[in-house]
């Protein structure tokens, strides 16, 4: 982007190429705080404008930090493999709004047919395993010798 | 014979050489063995509690208050720095949970002392006051803004005041005080030729000197009514610090990882002005009163955002322990440029304007009253036996908010808070403008209520005086 000098025009970006990914916070955050992973080049002002103009979300405060990706893992050639760095933004919503990250994989209600099929399958597997093991009265001793 | 001797030695049973005479009483009083207690140096919970007990014992037995404060803040560890003037959103809710404070809107009811009667209006309390309104009325009828006349009215009022020295608040000439205020305001903003303020230094340019001038002149003129003010000490930009523990957390990083530590906080505050007095202000409500609920916040304080730092654990009220003026009366805070009203309105955060005033009032007053209590020898193991009361005025030059704080408990650490049902109480008002605008040597839209409340604050004193 062109560098700003005094008297110059206001930089306006239409259709920005930035993406913001809303993530589930690793540690519990207050109710009005949403956690995003954003591009490394975005600033707090950019994030605020992005959310307010494109998504009409009232933003009260933005705080950012850069998470360093570790460089400890080694590949098959013993070269260090770096995990990429990324910027995390904590956005506090305005006007008293709250946000709770949704549960993306809820437990599904199983109907009677699926449940009975699951039970049948479990019982069959148990019977197969019993056949493989052999007589429990021998106490785990193999049966290819003896009487 | 040898076999017989060996058999006797091998025979199990009684040892003859260690037997005491049967029937003799054991020595009275002193036990035979020292008491069985946990170790001091082991890495166990019992050892930790024994070490804590020994530390508490040491602080209890300290001879002087200075020694107690030194031992209390001896161990330095990373702690959260709490800033009273902060831009953090909803900071006052967090601060109330850290300091166990209940916020009551409005000013506390002052019992028999109603607002000081002005001129000839309204009902005066005692019959002996009847001649006074008559004397004040001609004084108030004179044109305000007259310097010599103000001095005259002061002398006359001072002569009248001894006759009215009772427990209720005597009459004050509001016109004279209004003229004093307008004088100070006009002098700073209109008459004096000042250059333009430097960038972000607006508050030091006009409202700062105006506040200093206002408070010193009002305090001087009200000295006659309130003998406590005459013995008070006015500090300019003093330092107020307090260090305390509240709650527990597990250490996350470092060589102490996994240990359970108290959460440590420190407030370092610089009020613009402070009045310290030798006698304590009277309590507003009894020590064990319950006027509301303290917000409970489950999250770590770092989510506010609040940051940790390790430095000296200081407890200071503005003067050292030996100073006779060891109780607090009123603090005056000036909000910095970063927290101007216009900035909040521009960022569409109108509800945070009041939050700023409230968080400043609660945090500063908690630090001051708790430090005063520590100067008297109380700490979180030895809780306060009488409530400590202080007042504060938070302003940004035009808007004034008034706060009154009663400290009922200092016991906020994890063990002492379990059986503690007391809560600290803070009364606070919303911010109101003192005037609308200053134009061409005139102050437009002067608000008498704000001035009256300020005067009320300055005239507050213990009942015996």
């Amino acid at each position: 982007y062109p560098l700003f000098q005094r008297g110059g025009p206001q930089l306006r970006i239409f259709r920005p190429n930035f993406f913001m990914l809303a993530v589930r916070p690793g540690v519990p955050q207050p109710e009005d705080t949403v956690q995003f992973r954003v591009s490394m080049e975005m600033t707090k002002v950019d994030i605020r404008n992005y959310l307010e103009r494109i998504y009409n979300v009232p933003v009260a405060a933005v705080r950012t930090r850069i998470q360093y990706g570790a460089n400890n893992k080694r590949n098959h050639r013993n070269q260090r493999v770096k995990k990429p760095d990324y910027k995390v933004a904590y956005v506090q919503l305005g006007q008293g709004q709250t946000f709770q990250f949704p549960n993306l994989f809820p437990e599904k209600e199983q109907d009677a047919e699926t449940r009975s099929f699951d039970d049948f399958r479990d019982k069959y597997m148990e019977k197969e395993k019993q056949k493989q093991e052999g007589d429990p009265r021998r106490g785990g001793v193999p049966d290819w010798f003896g009487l | 014979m040898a076999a017989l001797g060996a058999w006797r030695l091998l025979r199990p049973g009684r040892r003859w050489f260690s037997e005491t005479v049967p029937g003799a009483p054991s020595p009275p009083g002193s036990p035979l063995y020292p008491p069985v207690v946990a170790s001091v140096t082991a890495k166990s919970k019992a050892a930790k509690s024994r070490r804590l007990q020994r530390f508490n014992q040491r602080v209890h037995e300290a001879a002087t208050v200075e020694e107690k404060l030194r031992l209390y803040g001896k161990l330095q560890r990373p702690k959260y720095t709490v800033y009273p003037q902060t831009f953090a959103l909803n900071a006052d809710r967090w601060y109330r949970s850290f300091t166990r404070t209940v916020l009551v809107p409005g000013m506390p009811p002052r019992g028999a002392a109603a607002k000081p009667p002005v001129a000839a209006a309204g009902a005066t309390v005692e019959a002996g006051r009847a001649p006074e309104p008559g004397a004040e009325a001609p004084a108030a009828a004179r044109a305000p803004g007259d310097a010599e006349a103000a001095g005259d009215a002061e002398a006359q009022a001072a002569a009248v005041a001894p006759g009215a020295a009772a427990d209720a608040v005597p009459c004050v000439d509001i016109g004279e005080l209004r003229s004093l205020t307008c004088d100070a305001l006009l002098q700073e903003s209109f008459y004096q030729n000042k250059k333009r303020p430097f960038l972000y230094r607006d508050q030091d340019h006009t409202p700062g000197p105006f506040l200093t001038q206002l408070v010193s002149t009002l305090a001087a003129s009200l000295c006659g009514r309130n003998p406590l003010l005459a013995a008070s000490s006015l500090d300019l930009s003093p330092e107020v610090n307090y260090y305390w523990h509240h709650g527990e957390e597990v250490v996350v990083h470092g060589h102490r990882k996994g240990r359970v530590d108290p959460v440590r906080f420190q407030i370092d505050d610089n009020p613009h002005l402070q009045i310290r007095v030798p006698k304590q202000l009277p309590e507003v409500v009894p020590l064990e009163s319950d006027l509301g609920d303290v917000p409970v916040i489950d999250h770590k304080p770092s989510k506010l955002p609040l940051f940790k730092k390790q430095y000296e654990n200081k407890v200071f009220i503005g003067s050292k322990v030996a100073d006779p003026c060891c109780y607090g009366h009123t603090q005056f805070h000036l909000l910095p440029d970063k927290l101007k009203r216009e900035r909040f309105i521009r960022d569409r955060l109108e509800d945070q304007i009041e939050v700023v005033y409230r968080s400043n009032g609660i945090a500063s007053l908690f630090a001051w009253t708790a430090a005063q209590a520590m100067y008297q020898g109380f700490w979180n193991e030895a809780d306060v036996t009488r409530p400590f009361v202080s007042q504060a005025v938070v302003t940004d030059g035009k808007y004034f908010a008034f706060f009154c704080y009663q400290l009922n408990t200092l016991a906020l650490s994890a063990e002492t808070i379990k059986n503690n049902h007391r809560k600290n109480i803070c009364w606070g008002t919303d911010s109101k403008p003192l005037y609308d605008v200053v134009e061409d040597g005139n102050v437009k839209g002067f608000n008498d209520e704000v001035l009256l409340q300020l005067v009320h604050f300055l005239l507050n004193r213990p009942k015996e005086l």
Side-chain angles (χ1 to χ4, degrees):
Chain A
Y1 297 116
L3 195 63
F4 178 78
Q5 282 158 357
R6 202 165 69 159
Q10 169 76 50
L11 173 68
R12 289 173 208 285
I13 305 171
F14 302 99
R15 298 165 68 235
N17 205 15
F18 292 132
F19 303 96
M20 288 178 63
L21 177 70
V23 296
R24 178 190 292 280
V27 286
Q29 296 282 343
E31 292 80 28
D32 59 346
T33 307
V34 193
Q35 191 167 333
F36 290 97
R37 283 196 192 181
V38 298
S39 156
M40 290 280 274
E41 286 87 20
M42 279 187 97
T43 61
K44 291 182 186 182
V45 180
D46 285 338
I47 293 166
R48 182 190 288 265
N49 289 341
Y50 190 102
L51 286 173
E52 278 180 345
R53 306 289 171 84
I54 302 178
Y55 292 98
N56 295 325
V57 171
V59 170
V62 182
R63 298 188 292 278
T64 58
R65 67 176 177 92
I66 296 185
Q67 176 62 52
Y68 168 74
N71 203 3
N72 300 334
K73 293 267 158 53
R74 303 243 170 190
N75 61 6
H76 60 279
R77 295 154 110 200
N78 207 27
Q79 297 161 331
R80 275 178 298 167
V81 176
K82 175 158 171 77
K83 293 191 175 139
D85 301 334
Y86 54 91
K87 188 179 262 197
V88 181
Y90 301 92
V91 175
Q92 279 187 302
L93 303 173
Q95 289 160 25
Q97 291 184 8
T98 60
F99 179 78
Q100 190 65 28
F101 196 84
N103 186 6
L104 297 174
F105 306 104
E107 293 285 322
K108 264 207 283 266
E109 277 296 318
Q110 285 182 335
D111 54 334
E113 208 184 302
T114 333
R115 241 178 286 134
S116 66
F117 176 70
D118 278 339
D119 287 339
F120 178 74
R121 191 183 49 196
D122 290 334
K123 280 203 199 95
Y124 179 75
M125 294 304 293
E126 232 188 271
K127 255 186 270 177
E128 285 291 320
K129 240 190 270 171
Q130 285 256 315
K131 269 188 229 167
Q132 292 278 332
E133 272 158 16
D135 197 354
R137 291 173 295 180
R138 283 176 72 86
V141 172
D143 59 353
W144 43 260
F145 69 91
L147 298 165
Chain B
M1 286 315 287
L4 269 176
W7 175 73
R8 204 180 293 143
L9 276 171
L10 283 170
R11 200 175 63 175
R14 301 142 58 143
R15 312 272 155 98
W16 297 95
F17 26 81
S18 66
E19 189 163 319
T20 53
V21 175
S26 58
S30 63
L32 274 180
Y33 302 102
V36 177
V37 281
S39 148
V40 178
T41 49
K43 197 179 166 189
S44 64
K45 289 199 185 109
K48 184 158 162 87
S49 67
R50 179 125 185 269
R51 282 194 292 266
L52 268 176
Q53 242 180 8
R54 276 157 65 104
F55 168 72
N56 294 343
Q57 191 85 18
R58 265 182 84 187
V59 180
H60 277 300
E61 281 160 9
T64 59
V65 173
E66 284 99 339
E67 181 64 21
K68 262 197 196 168
L69 291 177
R70 189 188 76 85
L71 287 173
Y72 178 70
K74 193 164 134 181
L75 179 63
Q76 280 190 18
R77 281 272 148 77
K79 57 191 173 177
Y80 288 109
T81 325
V82 174
Y83 291 97
Q85 294 175 334
T86 174
F87 49 78
L89 304 179
N90 297 327
D92 72 321
R93 244 188 107 232
W94 289 80
Y95 287 3
R96 270 185 286 150
S97 91
F98 298 151
T99 60
R100 209 169 149 117
T101 309
V102 172
L103 184 69
V104 179
M107 273 288 114
R110 299 273 182 172
K115 277 197 192 162
V118 175
T124 45
V125 183
E126 277 99 330
R129 300 295 185 75
E132 269 204 320
E136 298 291 68
R142 258 183 282 147
D146 196 346
E148 291 96 348
D152 256 356
E154 202 177 352
Q156 190 179 17
V160 169
D167 49 4
V169 176
C171 303
V172 259
D173 184 4
I174 200 69
E176 171 218 331
L177 294 171
R178 192 192 304 134
S179 70
L180 280 175
T181 320
C182 294
D183 275 347
L185 192 52
L186 289 170
Q187 176 69 16
E188 291 302 329
S189 46
F190 183 71
Y191 291 123
Q192 198 170 359
N193 204 2
K194 293 183 189 174
K195 293 196 196 139
R196 273 183 55 195
F198 192 70
L199 187 62
Y200 302 133
R201 295 282 181 99
D202 286 312
Q203 295 296 88
D204 301 334
H205 191 255
T206 312
F210 159 60
L211 192 61
T212 320
Q213 191 64 29
L214 174 70
V215 172
S216 21
T217 40
L218 280 183
S221 63
L222 293 170
C223 261
R225 317 301 169 99
N226 189 357
L228 197 64
L229 278 183
S232 68
S233 152
L234 179 71
D235 303 333
L236 304 170
S237 299
E239 217 184 278
V240 172
N241 312 81
Y242 185 60
Y243 167 76
W244 80 102
H245 296 181
H246 176 71
E248 268 183 343
E249 65 171 1
V250 180
V251 179
V252 178
H253 305 296
H255 66 281
R256 302 186 72 239
K257 184 172 167 174
R259 298 180 208 195
V260 174
D261 252 3
V263 183
R264 292 167 277 261
F265 296 92
Q266 168 90 35
I267 292 186
D268 298 314
D269 186 26
N270 289 305
H272 191 74
L273 284 164
Q274 184 173 280
I275 299 178
R276 275 176 302 114
V277 288
K279 293 216 176 66
Q280 199 181 339
L281 288 176
E283 65 172 32
V284 185
V285 287
L287 192 60
E288 303 278 347
S289 35
D290 185 1
L291 295 183
D293 282 319
V294 178
V296 173
I297 298 186
D298 294 325
H299 302 100
K300 283 170 69 165
S302 58
K303 308 284 172 233
L304 170 59
L306 217 52
F307 298 98
K308 279 197 169 180
K309 212 161 59 154
Q310 179 174 323
Y311 56 104
E312 192 202 348
N313 301 330
K314 202 166 165 191
V315 177
F316 196 62
I317 63 166
S319 62
K320 295 195 181 166
V321 184
D323 194 298
C325 294
C326 52
Y327 295 104
H329 189 267
T330 323
Q331 269 184 343
F332 293 86
H333 295 268
L334 192 63
L335 290 183
D337 272 299
K338 223 193 283 195
L339 304 172
K340 277 193 302 203
R341 274 188 126 87
E342 293 83 28
R343 281 175 87 113
F344 283 112
I345 294 172
R346 188 166 38 98
D347 295 333
R348 277 166 292 162
L349 291 168
E350 285 88 6
D351 41 342
Q352 300 297 322
I353 299 175
E354 287 307 319
V355 166
V356 163
Y357 287 91
R358 284 201 292 258
S359 64
N360 196 353
I362 291 173
S364 306
L365 280 174
F366 171 75
W368 205 27
T369 43
Q372 288 166 40
M374 286 209 84
Y375 270 34
Q376 302 307 312
F378 301 108
W379 59 300
N380 59 7
E381 299 289 328
D383 210 355
V384 292
T385 48
R386 56 183 197 275
F388 283 76
V389 174
S390 289
Q391 301 166 133
V393 178
V394 183
T395 174
D396 71 343
K398 189 170 153 190
Y399 289 83
F400 283 71
F402 299 92
F403 294 91
C404 177
Y405 197 93
Q406 171 161 330
L407 185 87
N408 293 328
T409 174
L410 270 185
L412 300 173
S413 66
E415 299 97 38
T416 48
I417 209 173
K418 274 184 216 152
N419 299 327
N420 188 11
H421 301 291
R422 299 190 206 163
K423 296 169 198 164
N424 304 321
I425 308 169
C426 182
W427 288 268
T429 62
D430 284 341
S431 55
K432 292 195 195 85
L434 179 65
Y435 58 91
D436 279 336
V437 69
V438 176
E439 262 175 26
D440 296 336
N442 289 323
V443 175
K444 299 246 167 69
F446 197 88
N447 190 352
D448 272 345
E449 288 171 12
V450 174
L451 185 61
L452 214 50
Q453 182 66 271
L454 189 58
V455 164
H456 210 76
F457 262 26
L458 287 172
L459 288 177
N460 200 6
R461 62 204 157 162
K463 302 233 176 8
E464 339 37 276
L465 279 181

